[in-house]
Amino acid sequence: QFCDGKHGVGVWWLGARPEMASPDAPPGDDVPLPARLFLHSYTGHDRRQLRPPPDWLTTLIVRKLPKVNSQEALLVVWPPAELQYDFLWVPYSFRQRRFTSYAIVNFRSPCAAQRFYMLWDNTLYPRVSADGVSELSPHIVQVGIASLQGRASNALQVASLGPMEPNLEPIVFRRGLRISFGGLVRELRSTTAVPPSASASSAAPRG
């Protein structure tokens, strides 16, 4: 059971995470950063209690992904409606002429980010074929906290890199429905822009 905004806490069984199963001490520096923010205390020698994640924590970075030919392939493995994320971006390396091995994912709530972390950190990534998900790949993905938090901040950051092909743009959603990345950026820029009257008054000489 994971926190969902109603119950607040859930239980994470340590049997599935042997590298963190040290029941004689509370979570400390031996626990990776995302887990330190998610874990609260022990409820026994075989499990830890989850605490509600911080309000600001909605964006995660997923590293060590296998080579993908498109960002669309990730939508099969990570169904956006089920996992409740609204921003997905795999940067493209023009030098290597391929997508990079990491993805930035922003979730609609901190609890959704917590659930994704518990499900996917140190997990084998499944190969995706034309028929859907097939056998597991040898890639063990690692999930961490992104340095830039929030869909708006990440969208504006990517937009500042300049124009890019539509298939290289982040995949974004609103209330579960896919929307245009360019449209989202225009909307964000219009809401964060300084009104002309305000900029004129601030530039006007005083006294």
Side-chain angles (χ1 to χ4, degrees):
Q1 178 185 359
F2 301 97
C3 83
D4 58 7
K6 296 180 181 178
H7 302 93
V9 298
V11 170
W12 178 31
W13 294 89
L14 285 177
R17 301 294 302 280
E19 77 282 1
M20 296 174 64
S22 52
D24 297 328
D29 292 338
D30 61 316
V31 178
L33 178 59
R36 286 205 298 273
L37 291 171
F38 291 144
L39 294 174
H40 177 59
S41 63
Y42 290 95
T43 58
H45 284 283
D46 56 355
R47 57 183 179 177
R48 286 171 170 168
Q49 187 179 24
L50 298 177
R51 64 180 175 188
D55 292 339
W56 54 264
L57 203 168
T58 61
T59 310
L60 301 177
I61 180 170
V62 186
R63 297 186 175 90
K64 298 191 175 180
L65 291 172
K67 294 180 180 179
V68 295
N69 295 323
S70 72
Q71 300 180 97
E72 303 287 338
L74 294 178
L75 300 180
V76 178
V77 181
W78 301 333
E82 176 184 335
L83 297 176
Q84 299 181 19
Y85 61 87
D86 55 14
F87 179 97
L88 171 67
W89 186 49
V90 182
Y92 186 84
S93 171
F94 288 96
R95 182 175 61 85
Q96 297 178 337
R97 298 183 180 181
R98 64 173 180 86
F99 286 97
T100 61
S101 60
Y102 70 93
I104 304 295
V105 190
N106 183 75
F107 296 84
R108 294 164 61 183
S109 71
C111 284
Q114 180 188 63
R115 180 174 181 269
F116 182 90
Y117 173 81
M118 298 303 172
L119 290 172
W120 280 97
D121 185 46
N122 283 335
T123 299
L124 285 169
Y125 185 90
R127 284 198 178 102
V128 180
S129 63
D131 299 327
V133 177
S134 57
E135 73 276 8
L136 296 175
S137 75
H139 293 265
I140 299 178
V141 300
Q142 296 180 346
V143 183
I145 297 174
S147 58
L148 194 62
Q149 290 290 311
R151 183 181 70 167
S153 297
N154 278 279
L156 292 174
Q157 173 69 17
V158 174
S160 70
L161 300 177
M164 59 182 65
E165 296 294 327
N167 64 310
L168 305 183
E169 294 178 342
I171 299 174
V172 292
F173 302 87
R174 175 178 287 131
R175 292 186 290 274
L177 299 177
R178 190 165 175 174
I179 61 175
S180 163
F181 176 70
L184 173 64
V185 170
R186 288 190 294 271
E187 178 183 314
L188 293 173
R189 285 174 172 170
S190 66
T191 56
T192 57
V194 179
S197 57
S199 59
S201 60
S202 62
R206 298 181 179 179

